[in-house]
Amino acid sequence: MKYGFIKVASATPKIRVADCKTNTINIIEQIKEAHKNGASLVVFPELCVTGYTCSDLFYQRVLLNAAEKSVEEVLKKTADLDIISIVGVPVAIESALYNCAAVIYKGDILGIVPKVNIPNYSEFYEVRHYTSGKNLYDEISYAGVETIISDNLVFCCDKMRDFSFGVEVCEDLWVAASPSVEHAKHGATIICNPSTSDDVIGKAQYRRDLVKMQSGKLCCAYIYSDSGFGESTTDMVFSGQNIISENASLLAESKRFTTGIIYADIDVQKLSAERRKTNTFTKSDDNNFTSVYFDMPIKQTKLSREFSRTPFIPSNKSDLDARCEEIITMQATGLATRLAHTGIQNAVLGLSGGLDSTLALIVCVHAFDMLDIDRKNIHTVTMPCFGTTKRTKSNAQLLAEAYGVSFEDINITKAVRQHFADINHDESVTNITYENSQARERTQILMDLSNKYNGLVIGTGDLSELALGWATYNGDHMSMYAVNVSIPKTLVRYLTAYEAQHSEGVLKTVLLDVLDTPVSPELLPPDKNGEIAQKTEDVVGPYELHDFFLYYLVRFGFEPNKIYYLAKRSFAGKYDNATIKKWLTTFVRRFFTQQFKRSCLPDGPKVGSVTLSPRSDWRMPSDACVNLWLENLEED
């Protein structure tokens, strides 16, 4: 449960219809197994104590009494276990019979939730036996304990309020106005569904999509537990298709026509953060709900869930190719729209031979092709100075020639030296003045060329650089349209590789060499072999770490100590803990102190869920204090 992770389980026991003793033994065994494997919550199928297909046997007091005794047995045998069990059972109250889910914890029943929507169509005939639990609220004695039966219950952990759940039963999911909507609007981050859903051709995919969609609509985790082997096959077959989904993502699914338990790690803090961020997710004004609190100790969840080192990159190769195509098209569409709107048919681009400017050129080419504008109207400029290497300068020219765009070579060394003389700076002192004077001279040339050619200056800086403030203010920080503004450095590499994959000849060769070139601003002199000496990642840290930090800090608002915990797991074997913490500290500090650069960014297209534009997704005061975040990183 620490850091908001809750290990949950969906279980399908083997049952025998109307054999409550056997079913109870199997249920208890699976509760103990789930507990042994670290689960804090386990959900069982609808009416699993008796079997769903008992039909008119549900009129028999013998069966109902046996079911109640079975729940007593579950209470007794699991009283010392820190796990909540949700078990399907029929409950009779006076003249009515309800299809219910009993929520069991530490020898007590926290509450009983009745099914609201009782199907009476096709193969279903539940109205014959069951009464709807809609708006039911009663205090009852059941299985030897005093409890509440109501469809309007939300169960909340005292020590972690983000861990809260609601229960709806089978058909309740399939209707237009599912009870889970109100449960979620009353704070439930997890919805549990004890179900018995028969199988017909094509239903499995629909069921899976339905669970995923409900979890996405409600920004919740959804645990669906389905009946399987042992239910009567007189008229139906049950496959035990258990599904666990989180915010539209499928986390776990059982193999159909089997029994057993599936597990998943739910991040309830992430779900709560998503809801807070989405202001259309509003709290319900229905006051008929009751919150039931339980006291569960906060413990470290042994995670089986993996966290990709590259959260901005799809892991599936076919998904990655489709994503790259989509992103480049979005970037190009943004630029093409700006060009069409302004009536401008020229672009000016500083081409260094590095990754970012290469991607910017790729986007320009795609945009000009969209508008059927001559590529010669893309004016690329290389501006060598003290740190420029033969490799990058050569690649810049080769790229321009391969794409058929205009190319100029403007050496800025004399201009920068004149500037040094003007401000009385000693050239032998290679400090920040030495570096930024070059960056600003290059931007001045680009801006002046834009006037000369009546073109837009295309920005090349990426999202990772913006997060770290790794840009010269009013230098490469400035442009007229920044096409890479929401592309993190790790993704820049994949997009360029995608372009190389779909190129041939000289273009492919040079793109591959750009990918192999160290990331550098080339503002300091090369080494004695003429190779790049100034490597960005030696100064600010590995971009793959910073992109990981950025994703979880901005996308989900995670605390630094949680990001550190995840990074240690994800990068184990590549970076030691001290290295990860060092660069996370650097990231957090720079992220705060460099906000002033992001507060005056030029326009650029949003293409992903993380962006730092001050006009859309990220508004932050430039003088915000970083201390709380640095202190949090030191907390256990």
Side-chain angles (χ1 to χ4, degrees):
M1 292 174 64
K2 194 173 181 183
Y3 301 117
F5 291 110
I6 313 295
K7 188 176 289 294
V8 300
S10 179
T12 297
K14 288 184 179 180
I15 70 157
R16 296 179 65 191
V17 177
D19 187 351
C20 294
K21 287 185 179 179
T22 297
N23 298 341
T24 302
I25 290 170
N26 293 339
I27 289 168
I28 291 171
E29 283 181 358
Q30 287 193 325
I31 292 173
K32 290 181 177 179
E33 181 183 344
H35 176 262
K36 182 180 178 181
N37 287 318
S40 297
L41 174 64
V42 58
V43 183
F44 287 89
E46 180 182 16
L47 297 172
C48 59
V49 170
T50 58
Y52 174 83
T53 50
C54 289
S55 194
D56 283 359
L57 293 179
F58 285 122
Y59 290 137
Q60 298 290 311
R61 174 56 65 181
V62 170
L63 183 65
L64 299 180
N65 287 345
E68 187 168 356
K69 288 180 181 178
S70 289
V71 174
E72 282 190 62
E73 186 68 8
V74 174
L75 293 175
K76 186 191 308 179
K77 294 295 177 64
T78 65
D80 60 342
L81 305 181
D82 267 318
I83 184 171
I84 294 170
S85 307
I86 298 176
V87 178
V89 63
V91 176
I93 302 177
E94 298 176 349
S95 61
L97 182 63
Y98 298 97
N99 180 345
C100 296
V103 181
I104 296 168
Y105 180 55
K106 302 288 279 188
D108 193 15
I109 300 177
L110 298 179
I112 297 175
V113 180
K115 189 173 184 175
V116 172
N117 296 280
I118 311 299
N120 198 46
Y121 59 88
S122 300
E123 63 267 42
F124 303 108
Y125 202 12
E126 286 189 38
V127 170
R128 180 179 176 92
H129 310 109
Y130 293 104
T131 299
S132 168
K134 179 70 173 175
N135 295 326
L136 174 66
Y137 183 93
D138 203 352
E139 296 177 2
I140 64 171
S141 177
Y142 186 80
V145 299
E146 302 299 316
T147 190
I148 300 169
I149 181 169
S150 174
D151 62 318
N152 293 333
L153 299 178
V154 171
F155 302 87
C156 308
C157 179
D158 249 335
K159 292 186 171 66
M160 183 184 288
R161 295 299 174 89
D162 290 332
F163 177 21
S164 58
F165 64 90
V167 181
E168 63 183 7
V169 181
C170 197
E171 184 76 8
D172 291 340
L173 167 64
W174 300 70
V175 300
S178 299
S180 53
V181 174
E182 286 301 313
H183 292 140
K185 291 172 73 173
H186 279 85
T189 54
I190 300 173
I191 302 298
C192 306
N193 189 319
S195 186
T196 299
S197 181
D198 66 312
D199 262 72
V200 294
I201 296 299
K203 192 173 182 179
Q205 181 64 48
Y206 186 88
R207 189 187 292 121
R208 182 186 305 114
D209 291 344
L210 187 62
V211 170
K212 288 171 61 179
M213 182 59 70
Q214 192 74 351
S215 74
K217 284 176 59 180
L218 302 183
C219 194
C220 71
Y222 203 102
I223 309 169
Y224 185 90
S225 183
D226 194 17
S227 295
F229 193 88
E231 286 289 356
S232 172
T233 58
T234 299
D235 293 303
M236 295 177 281
V237 174
F238 303 90
S239 69
Q241 185 185 16
N242 294 344
I243 303 166
I244 303 176
S245 181
E246 180 189 84
N247 200 12
S249 296
L250 184 67
L251 298 186
E253 182 177 358
S254 64
K255 184 178 180 180
R256 292 168 64 208
F257 305 105
T258 63
T259 57
I261 310 175
I262 61 170
Y263 300 89
D265 303 316
I266 303 299
D267 189 345
V268 293
Q269 287 183 353
K270 182 174 79 171
L271 292 169
S272 292
E274 281 287 86
R275 289 179 176 182
R276 285 192 292 270
K277 194 172 183 178
T278 309
N279 71 327
T280 51
F281 191 97
T282 55
K283 191 178 186 305
S284 175
D285 56 5
D286 183 350
N287 297 318
N288 292 326
F289 266 69
T290 299
S291 296
V292 179
Y293 293 94
F294 57 91
D295 187 16
M296 182 177 282
I298 302 294
K299 57 187 177 183
Q300 187 78 54
T301 300
K302 186 176 181 181
L303 295 180
S304 54
R305 185 172 182 171
E306 297 296 325
F307 294 85
S308 170
R309 291 177 177 177
T310 53
F312 290 101
I313 314 296
S315 57
N316 183 279
K317 179 64 169 62
S318 61
D319 289 346
L320 177 58
D321 286 350
R323 183 72 60 83
C324 288
E325 175 67 26
E326 180 182 22
I327 291 171
I328 291 174
T329 302
M330 291 175 72
Q331 290 177 276
T333 299
L335 176 57
T337 303
R338 179 55 57 91
L339 290 167
H341 174 72
T342 57
I344 292 174
Q345 296 203 342
N346 288 273
V348 177
L349 172 67
L351 193 59
S352 68
L355 265 177
D356 288 345
S357 65
T358 297
L359 177 58
L361 174 58
I362 291 168
V363 172
C364 283
V365 167
H366 283 251
F368 274 61
D369 287 352
M370 279 182 184
L371 297 173
D372 198 26
I373 301 175
D374 190 342
R375 290 185 183 182
K376 287 295 183 182
N377 286 18
I378 302 172
H379 303 272
T380 61
V381 190
T382 187
M383 293 166 279
C385 197
F386 310 122
T388 304
T389 61
K390 182 178 180 181
R391 178 182 187 180
T392 54
K393 182 181 178 184
S394 173
N395 280 343
Q397 184 168 355
L398 288 170
L399 275 172
E401 291 171 354
Y403 275 118
V405 302
S406 299
F407 179 77
E408 295 179 64
D409 183 342
I410 301 176
N411 194 302
I412 65 169
T413 305
K414 291 173 67 174
V416 173
R417 282 186 170 142
Q418 178 60 53
H419 182 61
F420 286 164
D422 292 342
I423 66 172
N424 195 27
H425 177 74
D426 183 351
E427 185 180 328
S428 66
V429 181
T430 55
N431 57 9
I432 193 71
T433 303
Y434 177 93
E435 294 185 38
N436 285 352
S437 293
Q438 298 171 67
R440 292 195 178 98
E441 178 60 25
R442 287 180 173 128
T443 300
Q444 175 176 290
I445 287 174
L446 293 175
M447 291 291 178
D448 290 343
L449 287 175
S450 76
N451 295 147
K452 177 181 177 180
Y453 296 124
N454 187 31
L456 296 180
V457 174
I458 307 303
T460 63
D462 62 52
L463 180 65
S464 307
E465 292 177 343
L466 289 174
L468 291 163
W470 192 252
T472 300
Y473 193 82
N474 205 34
D476 52 303
H477 157 261
M478 190 48 59
S479 67
M480 296 173 181
Y481 197 75
V483 294
N484 295 339
V485 72
S486 61
I487 311 295
K489 186 74 77 176
T490 49
L491 184 55
V492 170
R493 184 171 295 280
Y494 278 91
L495 293 171
T496 306
Y498 175 80
E499 180 78 359
Q501 177 186 327
H502 291 81
S503 303
E504 53 188 31
V506 173
L507 178 57
K508 182 169 188 171
T509 300
V510 70
L511 286 173
L512 291 175
D513 194 61
V514 168
L515 286 165
D516 197 43
T517 303
V519 176
S520 172
E522 292 194 311
L523 297 174
L524 294 178
D527 63 21
K528 60 182 180 181
N529 298 316
E531 300 295 329
I532 293 172
Q534 184 186 22
K535 298 178 181 178
T536 299
E537 292 178 297
D538 290 344
V539 180
V540 296
Y543 274 116
E544 63 178 343
L545 281 178
H546 288 311
D547 284 357
F548 187 92
F549 303 153
L550 171 65
Y551 181 80
Y552 288 108
L553 181 76
V554 173
R555 178 69 181 83
F556 298 114
F558 283 0
E559 296 171 319
N561 63 2
K562 181 173 181 176
I563 297 173
Y564 178 49
Y565 170 71
L566 296 179
K568 286 189 295 183
R569 286 178 49 84
S570 296
F571 291 95
K574 185 164 188 180
Y575 301 106
D576 59 37
N577 293 348
T579 299
I580 294 171
K581 191 169 188 178
K582 169 190 172 182
W583 293 123
L584 179 52
T585 302
T586 297
F587 175 85
V588 172
R589 183 177 287 114
R590 289 191 67 99
F591 187 82
F592 273 75
T593 60
Q594 300 297 299
Q595 171 62 27
F596 72 97
K597 295 179 181 178
R598 300 189 291 269
S599 293
C600 54
L601 283 179
D603 293 351
K606 173 181 177 178
V607 300
S609 59
V610 177
T611 180
L612 296 174
S613 169
R615 293 170 295 277
S616 59
D617 289 58
W618 188 254
R619 295 167 177 81
M620 171 181 170
S622 298
D623 47 6
C625 183
V626 70
N627 291 352
L628 288 176
W629 282 260
L630 293 176
E631 290 166 7
N632 176 268
L633 183 53
E634 299 303 322
E635 295 176 6
D636 183 16

